[in-house]
Amino acid sequence: MSPKYARSDRTILVVDDDRSVVEVLHKTLSKHGYEVLQAATSEPAIAAIREDRAPVDLLIVDGVMPNVSGPELADILLFVRPEMKVLFITGLDGLAIDLAFGQHCEYVQKPFTMRSLIAKVGEMLGEAIASPEAQISGDLK
């Protein structure tokens, strides 16, 4: 980890059926000091939540996935970890994801920049970006 970034004691679970998205988010979030758990489908995500005794502070989940949608998975995981915050990454607009989740929710619409994602994560976890001037590169489409 670069000395530019502070270490966070926060854990984030990233779930997306696109492995490249999971890898990019894992790399970026880890670089910013977060502990990152990752899953490509609902089964390993549920297992990670049940097996990991440490708190998972934030779920970052794709809004549209095969078999179990992001909102459905979020509902399942929130049953086990009700204190966990949820951030959807999706091509859907805000109203569509709110309706799918059944309540207002936080989301970042695809395509997004890593800078906007890190800013949203920091906002949701009540943390400032450790180094606003640091290079946060890459876009996710």
Side-chain angles (χ1 to χ4, degrees), residues 68-99:
V68 177
S69 73
E72 290 169 328
L73 180 59
D75 281 338
I76 293 166
L77 298 181
L78 285 168
F79 183 77
V80 178
R81 300 281 176 107
E83 72 286 352
M84 182 175 60
K85 297 179 190 276
V86 178
L87 174 62
F88 291 99
I89 53 175
T90 181
L92 300 174
D93 67 18
L95 178 59
I97 199 71
D98 283 355
L99 290 172

Side-chain angles (χ1 to χ4, degrees), residues 2 10-11 38 40 43 74 81 92-93 100 102 124 134-135:
S2 168
R10 303 302 185 107
T11 301
Q38 55 191 24
E43 292 83 10
R81 300 281 176 107
L92 300 174
D93 67 18
M124 290 183 70
Q135 288 290 8

Side-chain angles (χ1 to χ4, degrees), residues 98-140:
D98 283 355
L99 290 172
F101 193 47
Q103 61 187 7
H104 174 72
C105 56
E106 298 291 333
Y107 72 98
V108 176
Q109 193 165 17
K110 292 180 182 175
F112 55 83
T113 65
M114 291 299 107
R115 182 176 303 281
S116 65
L117 177 77
I118 291 298
K120 187 66 166 178
V121 167
E123 172 191 318
M124 290 183 70
L125 295 178
E127 299 177 342
I129 297 175
S131 179
E133 292 78 34
Q135 288 290 8
I136 301 172
S137 61
D139 293 340
L140 190 60

Side-chain angles (χ1 to χ4, degrees), residues 10-27:
R10 303 302 185 107
T11 301
I12 299 172
L13 172 59
V14 175
V15 185
D16 196 303
D17 58 312
D18 184 336
R19 280 309 292 168
S20 64
V21 171
V22 172
E23 290 170 14
V24 167
L25 294 182
H26 181 269
K27 181 178 177 182

Side-chain angles (χ1 to χ4, degrees), residues 17-64:
D17 58 312
D18 184 336
R19 280 309 292 168
S20 64
V21 171
V22 172
E23 290 170 14
V24 167
L25 294 182
H26 181 269
K27 181 178 177 182
T28 301
L29 293 165
S30 295
K31 183 177 174 182
H32 282 80
Y34 296 105
E35 178 70 28
V36 181
L37 307 174
Q38 55 191 24
T41 62
S42 59
E43 292 83 10
I46 294 167
I49 289 291
R50 286 191 173 151
E51 293 168 7
D52 195 318
R53 300 295 177 231
V56 175
D57 301 288
L58 178 64
L59 168 66
I60 297 178
V61 62
D62 188 7
V64 179

